[in-house]
Amino acid sequence: MSNHLIDLAVIGGSGLYKFPGLENTSRHAVGTPFGVASGEVVLGDFAGKRVAFLARHGESHSLPPHRVNYRANLWALHQLGARAVIGVNAVGGIRSDMGPRAIVVPDQLIDYTHGRYTSFCDIEGAEVNHIDFSEPYTASLRHRLLQAARKTGIAVIDGGCYGATQGPRLETRAEIARMRRDGCDLVGMTGMPEASLARELSLEYACLALVANFAAGCGDEAEISIEEIFAHLAAATAEVPRLLEAMLRA
């Protein structure tokens, strides 16, 4: 175990490949029993605290959601000394108030993914760990995010159910209609197994969901434009450093 003291680890999603404002940085390639992480972990100083940053899809967005090595990513952050992780996720909005550029701190999720390595128990000789996943996100970390949002005046929606789909394709209207019936408010492709792996490592974990577009059939658009998605995502992502700075300074 490293002696690094990390106050917060941030896993950046689509549109967040580097962490603005991180100073005195160093890069760390961490070997794991689960293969190679998405890239090097960048350690630096931010808001008077020690922060680790990892780009989930790689710094050049070379990894699609179903090919991300979630186990290696979480293991690497844990090995470097992280104890709390914020996963920043680009999502589609299903609920009417979760339109483009909305920022949401969900409190529940449903996993629709398949074929991914979902547990550290999958390797030979590992202890089987039946985690309690009733509440998939750490309440205290969610509370810190929401408090920071109130302090800075950034509009953030408290709660909602994140539906994790396989990707990399976007969903059909029928799939989104089913997810709405299931109780999903957001749809994304990277929320699982990241959240459950964090729980297996006893890491605090919360999701900061940035809405890039309305999901299929939920908005007025006949077709979802990738250019529009990234424009909305850039606007929402710009608020992330200010929000996290307020959280760390609290």
Side-chain angles (χ1 to χ4, degrees), residues 114-129:
H114 53 85
R116 302 183 183 191
Y117 289 109
T118 60
S119 173
F120 295 109
C121 303
D122 287 337
I123 60 172
E124 189 71 30
E127 180 184 351
V128 177
N129 184 10

Side-chain angles (χ1 to χ4, degrees), residues 152-218:
T152 55
I154 297 173
V156 170
I157 297 173
D158 177 3
C161 182
Y162 178 123
T165 58
Q166 182 70 358
R169 69 168 177 83
L170 301 180
E171 301 73 29
T172 67
R173 287 172 179 260
E175 287 169 332
I176 294 298
R178 179 187 68 160
M179 293 178 72
R180 189 198 295 273
R181 291 193 297 272
D182 286 350
C184 295
D185 303 300
L186 300 164
V187 55
M189 301 172 188
T190 53
M192 282 292 285
E194 193 170 278
S196 58
L197 291 169
R199 181 65 52 85
E200 285 192 11
L201 291 174
S202 299
L203 294 169
E204 294 183 25
Y205 181 87
C207 169
L208 192 58
L210 311 179
V211 182
N213 59 281
F214 270 119
C218 297

Side-chain angles (χ1 to χ4, degrees), residues 17-192:
Y17 309 112
K18 290 180 171 55
F19 193 88
L22 207 56
E23 298 177 337
N24 307 316
T25 59
S26 58
R27 302 176 70 92
H28 301 261
V30 183
T32 87
F34 308 97
V36 180
S38 294
E40 294 177 325
V41 179
V42 181
L43 293 182
D45 299 319
F46 179 75
K49 299 293 174 70
R50 197 73 175 148
V51 171
F53 177 77
L54 178 62
R56 186 186 289 114
H57 297 282
E59 291 180 1
S60 59
H61 200 105
S62 57
L63 295 167
H66 64 297
R67 297 291 300 277
V68 171
N69 191 337
Y70 296 93
R71 293 191 300 180
N73 287 352
L74 271 299
W75 190 269
L77 293 172
H78 183 258
Q79 284 293 100
L80 285 171
R83 292 296 174 267
V85 179
I86 300 289
V88 182
N89 298 83
V91 299
I94 297 175
R95 208 167 84 189
S96 61
D97 62 333
M98 295 183 180
R101 307 192 182 197
I103 301 174
V104 186
V105 180
D107 60 350
Q108 275 297 330
L109 62 81
I110 298 176
D111 187 6
Y112 298 94
T113 66
H114 53 85
R116 302 183 183 191
Y117 289 109
T118 60
S119 173
F120 295 109
C121 303
D122 287 337
I123 60 172
E124 189 71 30
E127 180 184 351
V128 177
N129 184 10
H130 297 286
I131 57 168
D132 178 7
F133 207 50
S134 309
E135 303 295 333
Y137 304 110
T138 305
S140 58
L141 194 54
R142 289 187 67 256
H143 181 66
R144 289 174 63 195
L145 276 174
L146 294 166
Q147 274 193 320
R150 285 191 286 269
K151 184 175 181 181
T152 55
I154 297 173
V156 170
I157 297 173
D158 177 3
C161 182
Y162 178 123
T165 58
Q166 182 70 358
R169 69 168 177 83
L170 301 180
E171 301 73 29
T172 67
R173 287 172 179 260
E175 287 169 332
I176 294 298
R178 179 187 68 160
M179 293 178 72
R180 189 198 295 273
R181 291 193 297 272
D182 286 350
C184 295
D185 303 300
L186 300 164
V187 55
M189 301 172 188
T190 53
M192 282 292 285

